[in-house]
């Protein structure tokens, strides 16, 4: 790998890390003012950054193709395209919010697995935001930084994602899941330590790659917003199942996912608060069914991973993230971890599918300077 010094002919001012995330439950509700319960994982993105005084921006990544170089003023909606937009977009969003930000040299030296549904894009945004905040003395709090990251993704990259991933990367703490209320941005750290209960969260990466800017995600978001408008509501947050009687067909199914998923988050949090982690299994399963049947964002590989994990000893399993590929999680007793992993691999082989990548997810700390 080409180091910072070789690329930029100088030393970085520092290194900043931001983790990927797994969402325990509360999927596809963060753009409907819903509740979600993500946690930070150990996989992280690391950026090495040096401040510049001439308004130039140079971006390179060890894992991606071409870098980008340009002026701060050249950054805006759609520019730069590709991975560099996530990092550059943060500079743009901070300037749009009125902050005085200079140019930077930035190398992405380590990354959350790309396209696995573990929020590599948010991790890059959040690591960049933290670096820029420190280097230019902005003194913004993490919520403000998260807002800039979301703006970068929505406006510069053009992916209409909600704010869960950025909040998870910036606000998570080790040993907890983050209860995020996307209506007002408030959060609560919910104790979540699977190992203490003899449990493990496995992440099964189907290696089917998805891309959030690809249209399907935006279509789902639009459908959810349209359903709220049809019901005369600002969002589906306050809708009840009975309210949905006014809908039918596809709009009904989309809205039903959101309403039932928000209710499942509340139930899951109550169980965690009660020290009954193992009992959230059925909620994970119900979440997956709702995402697959009502929201239609699963795929054959995600369904197979979940079904097989359950059949071989997981208490529950569901797809995570935007869907159409990426990863599933399974809540598994430690004694069954090997069985579950072997069964899932065998099932993929039997169906002629690419081998999934299986890793453990431990609730880890949020973004920080190294
Ligand atoms: C992606 C988006 C998030 C969220 C999830 C689905 O990860 O970036 O904002 O909408 O999909 O829950």
């Amino acid at each position: 790998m080409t180091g910072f010094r070789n690329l930029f002919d100088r030393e970085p001012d520092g290194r900043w890390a931001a983790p990927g995330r797994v969402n325990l439950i509360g999927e596809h509700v963060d753009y409907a003012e819903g509740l979600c319960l993500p946690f930070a994982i150990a996989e992280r993105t690391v950026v090495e950054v040096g401040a510049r005084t001439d308004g130039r921006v140079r971006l390179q990544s060890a894992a991606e193709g071409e870098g980008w170089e340009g002026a701060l003023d050249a950054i805006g909606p759609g520019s730069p395209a590709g991975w560099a937009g996530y990092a550059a977009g943060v500079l743009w969003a901070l300037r749009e919010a009125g902050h005085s930000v200079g140019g930077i040299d930035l190398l992405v030296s380590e990354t959350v697995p790309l396209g696995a549904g573990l929020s590599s894009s948010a991790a890059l945004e959040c690591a960049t935001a933290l670096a820029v905040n420190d280097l230019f003395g902005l003194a913004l709090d993490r919520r403000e930084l998260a807002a800039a990251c979301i703006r970068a993704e929505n406006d510069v990259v053009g992916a209409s994602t909600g704010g869960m991933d950025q909040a998870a990367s910036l606000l998570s703490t080790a040993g907890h899941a983050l209860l995020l209320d996307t209506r007002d941005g408030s959060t609560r750290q919910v104790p979540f330590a699977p190992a203490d209960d003899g449990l493990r969260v496995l992440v099964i990466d189907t290696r089917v790659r998805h891309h959030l800017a690809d249209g399907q995600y935006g279509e789902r978001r639009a459908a959810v917003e349209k359903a709220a408008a049809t019901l005369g509501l600002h969002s589906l947050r306050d809708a009840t199942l009975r309210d949905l009687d006014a809908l039918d067909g596809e709009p009904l199914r989309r809205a039903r996912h959101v309403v039932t998923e928000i209710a499942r988050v509340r139930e899951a949090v109550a169980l965690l608060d009660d020290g009954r982690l193992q009992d959230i299994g059925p909620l994970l399963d119900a979440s997956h069914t709702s995402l697959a049947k009502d929201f239609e964002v699963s795929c054959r590989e995600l369904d197979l991973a979940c079904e097989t994990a359950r059949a071989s000893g997981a208490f529950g399993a569901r797809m995570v993230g935007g869907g159409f590929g990426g990863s599933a999680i399974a809540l598994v007793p430690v004694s069954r971890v090997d069985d579950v992993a072997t069964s899932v691999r065998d099932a993929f082989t039997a169906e002629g599918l690419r081998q999934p990548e299986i890793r453990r997810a431990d609730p880890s700390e949020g973004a920080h300077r190294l």
Side-chain angles (χ1 to χ4, degrees):
M1 183 185 94
T2 314
F4 193 96
R5 162 155 272 292
N6 275 333
L7 285 164
F8 300 124
D9 204 21
R10 58 173 292 192
E11 295 298 332
D13 294 322
R15 298 166 69 228
W16 289 261
R21 63 95 190 92
V22 149
N23 188 17
L24 197 53
I25 198 159
E27 213 68 85
H28 278 283
V29 298
D30 65 340
Y31 46 78
E33 301 194 334
L35 302 170
C36 24
L37 193 62
F39 62 93
I41 56 176
E43 282 80 3
R44 60 187 196 170
T45 291
V46 175
V47 295
E48 301 176 20
V49 189
R52 296 175 64 102
T53 51
D54 61 356
R56 299 287 299 168
V57 177
R58 297 192 289 180
L59 307 170
Q60 294 286 342
S61 169
E64 305 265 13
E66 242 176 274
W68 183 79
E69 177 171 354
L72 273 175
D73 289 337
I75 304 168
S79 165
W83 72 269
Y86 294 99
V90 171
L91 294 166
W92 175 85
L94 289 169
R95 291 179 87 208
E96 286 284 301
H99 304 295
S100 173
V101 166
I104 54 172
D105 292 327
L106 177 148
L107 170 64
V108 184
S109 55
E110 186 181 322
T111 177
V112 170
L114 303 172
L118 302 176
S119 277
S120 55
S121 36
L124 175 54
E125 292 155 6
C126 294
T128 304
L130 212 54
V132 171
N133 188 48
D134 285 352
L135 289 176
F136 297 102
L138 305 184
L140 298 175
D141 67 29
R142 285 175 180 241
R143 233 166 264 224
E144 293 171 300
L145 294 177
C149 294
I150 294 163
R151 218 160 157 216
E153 184 151 337
N154 290 169
D155 294 353
V156 174
V157 178
S160 60
T161 51
M164 169 175 74
D165 307 337
Q166 295 79 4
S169 188
L170 283 164
L171 298 167
S172 290
T173 57
H176 295 90
L178 182 78
L179 174 58
L180 169 67
D181 183 336
T182 62
R183 170 138 71 186
D184 59 9
S186 62
T187 56
R188 174 159 79 82
Q189 304 289 340
V190 180
F192 174 60
D196 293 356
D197 292 337
L199 296 171
R200 188 162 292 165
V201 176
L202 290 187
V203 177
I204 304 162
D205 175 5
T206 62
R207 297 172 73 203
V208 176
R209 293 301 175 237
H210 67 144
H211 204 287
L212 287 178
D214 269 352
Q216 297 259 47
Y217 181 96
E219 269 175 33
R220 293 301 184 281
R221 181 173 180 154
V224 164
E225 285 166 359
K226 186 152 178 243
T230 306
L231 298 175
L233 298 171
H234 175 63
S235 75
L236 289 179
R237 168 64 177 269
D238 293 318
T240 61
L241 279 179
R242 178 161 307 169
D243 294 334
L244 304 189
D245 285 347
L247 304 171
D248 58 17
E250 195 175 284
L252 168 63
R253 286 187 286 117
R254 301 292 188 253
R256 188 166 58 201
H257 165 71
V258 173
V259 171
T260 58
E261 183 76 354
I262 293 171
R264 283 186 286 271
V265 176
R266 291 189 203 283
E267 285 181 59
V269 170
L271 288 170
L272 290 183
D273 282 341
D274 224 17
R276 294 169 57 197
L277 170 56
Q278 171 173 334
D279 294 339
I280 70 168
L283 294 170
L284 302 182
D285 295 346
S287 170
H288 184 81
T289 302
S290 177
L291 287 157
K293 302 264 190 274
D294 274 352
F295 218 62
E296 295 181 281
V297 291
S298 186
C299 63
R300 180 179 164 213
E301 292 82 354
L302 287 167
D303 292 345
L304 181 66
C306 293
E307 282 157 22
T308 312
R310 284 176 208 133
S312 50
F315 287 128
R318 57 179 291 274
M319 55 152 279
V320 292
F324 309 107
S327 296
I329 54 167
L331 182 66
V332 183
V334 171
S335 61
R336 302 304 298 267
V337 164
D338 291 342
D339 288 347
V340 169
T342 306
S343 303
V344 171
R345 287 199 187 95
D346 289 351
F348 273 60
T349 304
E351 301 246 335
L353 300 169
R354 246 176 119 189
Q355 276 296 286
E357 180 113 13
I358 302 180
R359 42 172 87 80
R360 58 190 283 179
D362 298 315
S364 303
E365 63 182 320
H368 56 278
R369 187 172 188 158
L370 293 172

